[in-house]
Amino acid sequence: MNLENMLINGEWVRAASNHSFAIYNPANGAAVGEAPTGSADDVILAINAADAAFDGWAKTPARERAAILRRAGDLLLSREEPIAQLITLEAGKLLRASRKEVSVAAEFIYWYAEEGRRSYGEWIPDPLPDRRLLTIRQPVGIVAIITPWNFPAYMIARTAAAALAAGCTVVVKPSKQTALTGLAVARAFADAGIPPGVLNCVTGDSNTIGKVFLEDTRVRKISFTGSIEVGKQLMSGAANGIKRVTLELGGHAPFIVLSDADFEKAIEGLISAKFGNAGQMCIAPNRIYVHSSLLKAFLERLSFRVEQLKVGSGLERETDVGPLINRSAVDKVESHVNDAINKGARLLVGGYRLSEGAHASGSFFAPTVLADVTADMRIAQEETFGPVAPVIAFEEEEEVIGRANDTPYGLAAYLYTRDLNKAIRIAERLEYGMIGINDTRIAVVEGPFGGVKQSGIGREGGHEGLASFLETKQIAFRV
Ligand code: NAP
């Protein structure tokens, strides 16, 4: 089986232990390849390299850093097809979505190549006549980047490009499930001429690697994208060294359809946000609030559209919904659906795992629509991360705002209405980091992506994404 190496100090190496782990395709259980099981010693070597490279990279003019980043973006694009294939094999994503992911990953790199050249300081009016006060912005230092499997190229590009553009050096730890994609992204940076040690990529056991990131005082920032549970562990571990953290965590998005909404637009937005990536997106709607005057027609139309979705391997052209990442993800989705039905939800479409014929060796769940969902059901409280649309009726604007906000999550929310006043009024009151009004494609390179409440701290993307890798230093001098 193909064994890829890790990137430490500009070299492609095996784990010191020579151990490796296999990655399996969630669509059919076949082995995709192997990656090294990096030990604590390997991680320390990577941090040593990032430390040794830091001064040189931080002092490299932003324009030169930008040139290397642009080359990395070009290389990613030139390798779009093989990397997209890898994403589909490791994560089960539809091939067309994997291709799109690689091109968006390159977009992030291009954006930060430019943005890194604009990290301006300030000259501040000083209260003393014989003193001058100014600020400069400097890289925070070595950054540990931990990313999930659901957008395995995009997440690394989004974070690493910003950190590198800011002048930080990085150690990336991709999810084990998508380690080969992570290494392929790292290879694009390495081949673009990034100096040894500036970007390292270690694969292996997350606890082992995470522990070193937290304990090594040279690591100044943890940038984590993943579940709230692990985010809390990392935040509490980071507290000991007062390390900076950016946490991009889970979501439980409300999708609100007011009585005056463009009905078709809402359905199409919901289909793409809920069933894209088989529902495994942090910004996927998990509570669909529909005004009671539209409910019957909405459920009929939604059920009709969901029944048409074809489930299968991401490599097949006609597939609309791919596999879930593994069997335990299917178990979780199934338990949410069963819990809802036991508590009185009405099953309109799907509701079962697919385990026969072409689906026998994969982890598939049928696209599902549930009606009469209530707040006490697990699906209305916990992130499902699967292809299930739970629909809840509402009557009043005030009521739906309260219900939408009644959750510890605060990543994304969606609102469908033709009334501009209502749109603004409600968007201002929804306690979420991102609001889509008549739109669900809210993750863009130029915009700040991130959540409030337990969905995270900090923003990635946009100019905020660069700022989170910079410290502002004040310099006061007498003249
Ligand atoms: P996860 O279990 O938290 O894993 C995320 C990453 O953390 C993986 O690389 C994982 O490695 C690693 N990890 C796990 N335990 C760790 C530990 N103790 N120390 C250090 N690293 C550790 O989340 P997931 O199931 O992969 O991803 C799904 C979650 O991510 C969902 O909740 C989703 O909403 C969230 N997410 C958020 C965003 C956002 O931008 N807000 C984007 C995408 C996903 P292994 O996989 O190798 O164990």
Side-chain angles (χ1 to χ4, degrees), residues 21 145-151 154-155 158 173-178 204-211 213-214 222 224-231 233-234 247-252 280-284 325 332 383 385 409 411 434 449-451 455-456 460:
F21 60 91
I145 296 174
I146 304 175
T147 53
W149 47 264
N150 65 340
F151 288 90
Y154 172 110
M155 294 294 166
R158 178 173 84 173
K173 191 217 84 71
S175 167
K176 259 179 127 176
Q177 178 62 39
T178 49
D205 175 63
S206 48
N207 281 307
T208 310
I209 298 172
K211 193 161 177 284
F213 285 164
L214 292 174
I222 309 279
F224 172 73
T225 307
S227 61
I228 292 181
E229 189 193 354
V230 175
Q233 285 171 29
L234 292 172
L247 301 173
E248 293 287 354
L249 308 178
H252 202 279
Q280 303 169 112
M281 292 190 282
C282 50
I283 56 173
I325 195 65
K332 181 180 178 193
E383 194 179 25
F385 236 51
Y409 295 92
L411 190 59
M434 296 167 289
F449 189 102
S455 287
E460 291 192 356

Side-chain angles (χ1 to χ4, degrees), residues 263-264 267-268 297-306:
F263 193 84
E264 274 304 317
I267 297 276
E268 289 318 308
F298 189 92
L299 287 172
E300 274 170 21
R301 181 75 185 137
L302 178 64
S303 300
F304 172 75
R305 287 286 284 107
V306 173

